[in-house]
Amino acid sequence: MQFVQGLPLGVYVGQTQVEHAQTQPTARVELTGFNLALHVGDDVKRVQQHRMALLQQFAVFGVDKLTWLSQTHSTLCHRIDDVLCFDALEGDGLITQRKAHALMMMTADCLPIVLGNAAGTEVANVHAGWRGLAQGIVEQTISDMHTQPTWAWLGAAISEAHFEVGTEVKLAFCTQYPALQSAFKAGITDSKFYADLYAIARYILQQHGVETVLGGEQCTYLQVDDYFSYRRTAQTGRMATFVFMT
């Protein structure tokens, strides 16, 4: 696990990988690795141990709280500021201006997007699968932020060469943003295309005032040793993308 470079002072962003020094053993071969999801059939105690290991790592930076979501491929976004919510939250976006509070987002092919302002006083974490992107999770998150985000980081997601979609996916984007035609390459039949999630996200972000977009060079499907991938193996774990401020 490495932190992203080039962000405002005091902002820490990164993504977990399959390998982690505190990975707990499991008899479920398909869940081998540092799984952080409770909804994939893993042992609850094992997952909680993994999550606690992350909190302990972050505690060195003063982090005292992790917030996780029950992700739903929606445009629901939650603010986590002065009043802490201990109930389970559903949605696909988290925003905070609270220091020492890590926002967590799980993926295994979908695109994690972290947003923040130039001053390093507000950050957001977004789960952007194609449905969320098409429905407007990025636009909704930017609208819900109290300040204009100026930068974004794109975590590991499935690359264009391995993300085959149907005509309905292309229409969902291109009807709203005609310029996104270039983010879809022809597939093996007239009704299939290869979609570039990174290009789609960059375009939407830049259309909404996010000038600097970092990351977007990984492929969860290809990088077997680094990332979980739902398209590669349907029964699998989840990584977590995180952001916090100090």
Side-chain angles (χ1 to χ4, degrees):
M1 183 174 63
Q2 296 180 331
F3 292 116
V4 177
Q5 302 298 308
L7 301 181
L9 185 66
V11 176
Y12 294 85
V13 173
Q15 187 173 25
T16 64
Q17 297 188 348
V18 171
E19 297 295 331
H20 190 281
Q22 296 188 52
T23 299
Q24 299 299 307
T26 177
R28 301 279 301 277
V29 176
E30 67 277 14
L31 294 175
T32 298
F34 197 62
N35 171 49
L36 290 158
L38 291 166
H39 67 286
V40 296
D42 204 346
D43 179 69
V44 172
K45 182 179 178 181
R46 179 175 187 263
V47 175
Q48 294 293 8
Q49 287 176 314
H50 288 172
R51 292 185 176 191
M52 284 303 299
L54 279 186
L55 181 57
Q56 289 167 3
Q57 280 189 280
F58 297 163
V60 175
F61 300 90
V63 172
D64 58 13
K65 182 73 171 70
L66 308 183
T67 291
W68 303 81
L69 280 176
S70 176
Q71 298 165 208
T72 57
H73 294 273
S74 68
T75 59
L76 293 174
C77 193
H78 299 273
R79 290 201 64 87
I80 309 293
D81 285 325
D82 296 332
V83 179
L84 299 185
C85 179
F86 294 95
D87 295 329
L89 298 173
E90 288 191 355
D92 293 273
L94 290 169
I95 302 169
T96 194
Q97 291 182 324
R98 182 178 185 268
K99 292 183 178 181
H101 192 143
L103 307 180
M104 313 299 295
M105 203 63 63
M106 294 179 292
T107 57
D109 284 337
C110 290
L111 175 60
I113 303 175
V114 178
L115 296 160
N117 62 11
T121 58
E122 185 176 38
V123 291
N125 203 348
V126 177
H127 169 241
W130 79 261
R131 290 181 179 82
L133 270 177
Q135 292 169 11
I137 184 60
V138 170
E139 296 92 326
Q140 185 62 55
T141 302
I142 292 174
S143 175
D144 288 347
M145 293 178 74
H146 290 338
T147 59
Q148 171 63 38
T150 59
W151 60 267
W153 178 74
L154 309 181
I158 193 169
S159 64
E160 178 185 49
H162 300 280
F163 189 40
E164 187 180 51
V165 299
T167 304
E168 74 283 0
V169 177
K170 182 180 179 181
L171 288 175
F173 288 104
C174 296
T175 300
Q176 184 177 6
Y177 296 111
L180 285 178
Q181 293 277 349
S182 61
F184 294 85
K185 290 185 178 179
I188 56 176
T189 68
D190 291 342
S191 62
K192 294 294 183 181
F193 300 88
Y194 292 98
D196 189 340
L197 283 175
Y198 289 132
I200 292 168
R202 287 190 187 98
Y203 180 83
I204 294 173
L205 287 162
Q206 290 167 352
Q207 290 300 301
H208 290 82
V210 181
E211 300 168 356
T212 301
V213 183
L214 307 171
E217 301 93 10
Q218 309 297 309
C219 177
T220 50
Y221 187 93
L222 275 181
Q223 294 172 243
V224 179
D225 294 334
D226 299 323
Y227 304 114
F228 298 112
S229 169
Y230 179 80
R231 285 234 171 176
R232 188 178 64 234
T233 308
Q235 184 67 47
T236 191
R238 299 292 186 272
M239 294 86 67
T241 294
F242 60 84
V243 58
F244 58 85
M245 299 179 293
T246 61

